[in-house]
Amino acid sequence: MKLGGGKDWFTAGELAELALPGLGNLKRRINERAAAEGWALRTGSFDEPLARPRAARGGGLEYHVNVLPAAARVALASMGIAVIADVVDAPQARVLTGAAQLWRWFDGTTAKVKAEASRRNAAVGKVEFYESAGLTRSAAVSAAAKDAAIGASTLWSWLELIVGVSAADRLPYLAPRRQGGGTEAAIDPGAWQFLVSDYLRPEQPTFSACYWRMVKDYATPRGIAVPVERTLRRKLDREVDGRLIVARREGAEALRRSLPAQERSVASLHALEAVNIDGHKFDVFVRWPDGRVGRPMMVGIQDIMSRKILAHRIDESENALATRLVFADLFRDYGIPKACLLDNGRAFASKMITGGAKSRFRFKIKDEEPTGVLTALGITIHWATPYRGQSKPIERAWRDFCDTISKHPALAGAYTGNKPDAKPENYGSKAIPIEEFRSVVAAGIMAHNAKSGRRTETAQGTRSFDDVFAASYAAAPIGKATVEQLRLALLTAEERTCDRQTSVVTLEGNRYWAPELSDHSGKKLTLRFDPDNLHGEVHVYDRTGEFICTAPAIEAVGFFDKSSAGARRAQEADLRRLVREQEKLAGLLDAATLAAMMPAHPDETPDLVPSVVRPVRHRGQTAAALKHLSSVAEAPVTTPVIDRFAAAAARLRIVD
C-alpha cells in the first residue's frame, strides 16, 4: 500500500496495515471500534461528515483522520502521511474541509435549513448594499438588521461566519447547524438485537409492540436500562437499511417491486408479429346449460404491438381445448403470428399446444410425440416468468375488464367481488345464462379495442387499439395458413394403434376406418381430429407425419336396421371388388400353372434298414391280452423270429 503525503481519508483496511497506536493491526477490530464509537455518524465543527462512501471498487467507508485517537493521528503525522487536523474553529475548518464538501453537506439538508440560509444571505447582502452606498460597517449593520427585523448582534455573528468566503459559497456557511444533545444514548447490544430481530419478522409487528416485549421479556429480567422508544426508533431508521426492512417484513416480491419497472419498447414490431395469451377468471356467476352455476374463465389473445384483443374463448376452466380453439379463431380471422408469449400453465404448455417444443418445461418430451399447434406452424414460443403480471401486457386488459365487463349493468346481481371480503350487497342474487354473458363479453371487448385516446407507446394518447392495429396490419407481412396447415395444426393429435385384423382405429370409444388403413394394420398412427366433433372423421398420419387418409366414424346401428345392413353388404361388395382389381393388377398365377412350371422329381427314397434292433417287452394288461389272444387262436400261428428273440431275452438274468 502506497500512501502519499497529505492523505486525510483512510479505510479500515488501510489503518490496519499501518498498525497505528491505539488501533492495532486487525481490520475487524478497527471496524468494531468504528461501530462502537459511531465514526460513521461523527461530524466536524461545521457539521461536515467525517465518514464518506469509498469510491473505489468494493465500496465501504472511508474515515477522516480527525475521528482517529490522538496517538494514531500523531503517528500518521510523524510518518508524513497526514497532518494533525483538529477542527476547532471556523477559519481552520474552512481550510481543511473545503467549500465542495460543505456544499455536499448543504445539499443533503432540509428545505427549512436552506430557506434559513437564503434569509441570512439576503441580510448580509443588505449590509454590503448599504456599505456601497457610503455607510460605515456599523451603520450598515444597524440599517440591515432593522430591515430584516433581527438583532444587530445576530447579524454581526453571521458576518463572522463568512470571513474570507466568496459570495458564491456563502449559503453552506450561513446555514444553521442545530444539533441534538450530543452523545448517542447507549443500548445493550443484546437488547438491540432482540428488538431488531422481533421487528424484522414477516408477521410485521408494530415497533411499539416489539419495544414493549424487549423491555418486559429481555431488559427488565436482566436489570438492563434501555433508552426510550423514540430514541430507538430513530436508531432503527438511521442504522438499519430500509431495503432490509422491506425484504424481512414484506418478502422478496416486495423487495423486487422496489426496483423501477422495466420498460420494453414495441416500436420495432408490426401487427401480428407477436401475440400473448393468458386466462382471466371473471368475478361473475353464470349458469351453464346443465344448470350448474360458477365463474367462467376466458382465454384471450392480444397483439403485443397494438394491445388489441384479437380472439377469445369462454369456458369453465383454462384448458387446452379452449386454448386450441382461440388459436384457431386467430389463425382464421387474422393470420399466423411469428412469436407468442405465454406462461407455463398446464393449458398453454400442453402437448396439444406446444408439443415438440424443446423449451417446454412441463411433461416429459418424447421424440415421437405429435407436434402442437404452435410448433407445427413454426411460431416461436417465449415463456413468461410465472406469477409475474408485468411480463404479459394482456394483464392490463384484464384489469380493465374487471371494471368494464364484470361490473356491467347487464350483470347486476351476478358480480361476486374480487376477494372474499369485498362481496357486494346483492351477492349471489343472480346468475347470468352463459350465452347472455358471452354476448356481454364480446360487446365489452369491441368497446375496449375501439376506445380512443390510449396512452400506449404506439397509440400516443390519440388513437385506439383498433386504429393502431389496422394501420400496421395493412402494410405488414402477414402469414396465412393453408387448409393443409390448419388441418395439421389446429386439430388435436393422439397416437393410436391400427387394429391388426380389421385396420380399425379407436378413439374415445368411437371406431374409424377407411380402405387405405389396410396397409397399416398393427402400426402406430397419429390421429388428428376435432374434439368437438368426434362422430365426424379423423385425419390419419403415419409416424413420419405423412398423410394417409381421412377415416369416417363407424356408427353403431339398430339390430334390425335393414338400410344399415344393406350399406354393410355394399361395403363388403366394394371391398371384394377392390381386391379383385388388385388381384388382376398383380398378375397372379393359379395353382395349376405354378405346378406345371415346376420340374418332375421321381420317388428316389432309399429303403432304410436299422443297424440295431431294440427289444420291446410287453408288461401288464398288454401282455395278458396278447397271451389270451394266442391261446384262443383257431389255427397255429408261426412265431416270428423277432418275437422269439424278445421272449428269450426276457428270461435272461444278470450274473454277477
Side-chain angles (χ1 to χ4, degrees):
M1 179 180 64
K2 296 182 179 179
L3 299 174
K7 179 176 174 63
D8 294 332
W9 297 90
F10 301 89
T11 64
E14 293 171 346
L15 294 174
E17 291 185 27
L18 292 171
L20 299 174
L23 292 180
N25 58 355
L26 294 178
K27 178 180 177 182
R28 177 173 56 85
R29 295 293 185 187
I30 296 175
N31 282 327
E32 291 176 354
R33 179 167 183 169
E37 298 180 357
W39 289 6
L41 305 175
R42 297 271 293 275
T43 58
S45 299
F46 274 71
D47 205 22
E48 70 278 2
L50 297 181
R52 67 183 184 184
R54 181 169 175 261
R57 183 178 180 181
L61 289 176
E62 291 181 327
Y63 303 106
H64 194 270
V65 66
N66 287 338
V67 303
L68 304 180
R73 286 183 288 169
V74 172
L76 286 173
S78 63
M79 296 177 189
I81 296 175
V83 296
I84 302 176
D86 280 311
V87 183
V88 293
D89 54 31
Q92 188 178 6
R94 287 194 290 271
V95 172
L96 291 177
T97 60
Q101 188 171 0
L102 284 177
W103 273 109
R104 187 180 68 177
W105 166 83
F106 181 75
D107 188 52
T109 59
T110 63
K112 185 177 181 180
V113 173
K114 293 183 174 69
E116 177 62 17
S118 299
R119 187 178 74 88
R120 295 180 180 185
N121 192 35
V124 170
K126 275 291 186 70
V127 173
E128 295 177 344
F129 172 76
Y130 285 132
E131 283 183 328
S132 64
L135 296 180
T136 63
R137 170 60 68 95
S138 298
V141 169
S142 299
K146 184 178 180 181
D147 293 343
I150 58 176
S153 60
T154 301
L155 188 52
W156 278 110
S157 66
W158 293 350
L159 291 171
E160 291 178 2
L161 293 175
I162 59 173
V163 174
V165 178
S166 64
D169 293 329
R170 287 177 177 176
L171 284 177
Y173 292 99
L174 291 172
R177 290 169 175 78
R178 301 184 180 93
Q179 299 182 359
T183 60
E184 182 181 356
I187 180 174
D188 180 75
W192 176 247
Q193 185 181 32
F194 184 97
L195 175 64
V196 174
S197 300
D198 190 16
Y199 181 70
L200 299 183
R201 290 188 292 118
E203 291 77 13
Q204 302 184 22
T206 63
F207 188 82
S208 296
C210 296
Y211 177 82
W212 174 73
R213 273 193 294 270
M214 183 268 293
V215 173
K216 178 177 67 72
D217 298 334
Y218 186 90
T220 301
R222 293 169 175 78
I224 298 174
V226 294
V228 298
E229 180 183 339
R230 289 190 61 186
T231 299
L232 296 186
R233 180 67 204 222
R234 288 193 297 268
K235 179 179 176 65
L236 178 76
D237 295 339
R238 183 175 63 250
E239 297 185 3
V240 180
D241 195 314
R243 293 166 294 187
L244 175 61
I245 295 176
V246 171
R248 294 283 299 182
R249 287 173 62 90
E250 303 179 36
E253 181 61 21
L255 180 64
R256 185 194 64 80
R257 289 196 303 267
S258 66
L259 294 175
Q262 186 181 39
E263 294 185 3
R264 300 190 178 189
S265 175
V266 297
S268 61
L269 300 179
H270 62 71
L272 210 65
E273 183 173 355
V275 298
N276 67 138
I277 183 172
D278 195 25
H280 173 66
K281 199 172 190 68
F282 282 100
D283 300 322
V284 177
F285 280 141
V286 301
R287 188 178 304 279
W288 301 101
D290 58 1
R292 291 178 298 109
V293 174
R295 294 167 56 200
M297 171 71 75
M298 181 175 76
V299 178
I301 297 180
Q302 179 195 53
D303 177 60
I304 293 180
M305 187 278 296
S306 65
R307 301 296 198 268
K308 177 179 179 178
I309 303 297
L310 301 177
H312 73 278
R313 285 278 180 155
I314 298 176
D315 207 334
E316 297 187 41
S317 63
E318 186 181 83
N319 53 68
L321 175 58
T323 303
R324 183 191 66 79
L325 294 177
V326 77
F327 272 116
D329 296 340
L330 173 70
F331 299 155
R332 182 190 64 245
D333 298 339
Y334 295 99
I336 301 175
K338 294 182 179 179
C340 181
L341 175 68
L342 65 168
D343 61 27
N344 200 27
R346 298 185 68 89
F348 306 134
S350 66
K351 295 182 179 181
M352 185 188 299
I353 306 301
T354 57
K358 298 302 181 184
S359 59
R360 197 174 81 246
F361 302 108
R362 273 190 184 271
F363 312 108
K364 185 177 180 180
I365 300 175
K366 301 178 181 179
D367 293 336
E368 68 272 14
E369 72 179 16
T371 55
V373 173
L374 307 186
T375 313
L377 293 180
I379 299 174
T380 304
I381 299 171
H382 299 278
W383 301 103
T385 305
Y387 308 106
R388 189 71 56 81
Q390 299 94 322
S391 301
K392 295 172 290 186
I394 199 172
E395 293 285 355
R396 179 63 174 83
W398 295 161
R399 191 178 74 179
D400 288 345
F401 292 164
C402 290
D403 186 47
T404 59
I405 295 180
S406 297
K407 299 179 182 179
H408 194 277
L411 307 180
Y415 179 64
T416 65
N418 58 356
K419 50 186 177 180
D421 58 350
K423 297 178 181 179
E425 190 68 25
N426 58 353
Y427 174 82
S429 61
K430 187 178 180 181
I432 304 298
I434 184 59
E435 293 303 327
E436 181 180 342
F437 178 76
R438 286 193 172 103
S439 300
V440 174
V441 171
I445 291 178
M446 291 180 61
H448 173 83
N449 291 335
K451 182 180 178 181
S452 59
R454 294 293 189 178
R455 294 191 298 270
T456 62
E457 180 184 3
T458 52
Q460 297 293 322
T462 57
R463 298 188 294 174
S464 66
F465 297 155
D466 279 336
D467 296 335
V468 175
F469 182 82
S472 178
Y473 188 82
I478 305 298
K480 294 291 186 179
T482 63
V483 176
E484 291 76 16
Q485 287 176 323
L486 290 176
R487 182 180 65 193
L488 180 68
L490 301 185
L491 299 178
T492 303
E494 293 287 349
E495 192 175 76
R496 291 291 184 270
T497 301
C498 187
D499 187 86
R500 188 175 298 276
Q501 180 178 356
T502 63
S503 303
V504 167
V505 289
T506 305
L507 178 67
E508 300 294 339
N510 298 306
R511 300 182 303 154
Y512 304 88
W513 180 84
E516 293 83 357
L517 296 178
S518 302
D519 296 334
H520 301 274
S521 299
K523 299 180 181 178
K524 286 188 176 295
L525 304 175
T526 298
L527 308 183
R528 294 190 177 271
F529 59 94
D530 186 350
D532 296 334
N533 186 22
L534 290 175
H535 296 286
E537 57 188 16
V538 297
H539 305 289
V540 186
Y541 297 78
D542 62 13
R543 295 286 291 274
T544 63
E546 183 178 351
F547 178 71
I548 298 175
C549 66
T550 298
I554 303 175
E555 298 182 0
V557 299
F559 191 82
F560 295 106
D561 190 341
K562 293 186 177 181
S563 61
S564 298
R568 171 67 178 185
R569 288 193 297 271
Q571 190 177 46
E572 294 174 355
D574 292 339
L575 179 60
R576 290 193 297 270
R577 184 173 58 255
L578 176 63
V579 171
R580 287 196 299 269
E581 293 175 355
Q582 295 292 333
E583 183 179 359
K584 292 179 181 179
L585 293 175
L588 301 178
L589 302 177
D590 55 23
T593 305
L594 287 175
M597 296 173 63
M598 295 180 182
H601 297 284
D603 187 5
E604 299 177 355
T605 304
D607 294 333
L608 300 179
V609 178
S611 59
V612 178
V613 179
R614 178 176 60 87
V616 180
R617 298 177 61 185
H618 297 279
R619 295 180 180 274
Q621 295 297 325
T622 305
L626 292 175
K627 182 177 179 181
H628 174 70
L629 292 175
S630 62
S631 63
V632 298
E634 296 180 356
V637 179
T638 303
T639 303
V641 176
I642 188 62
D643 291 340
R644 295 198 301 272
F645 176 80
R651 293 192 294 270
L652 293 178
R653 295 291 184 269
I654 299 176
V655 180
D656 293 336

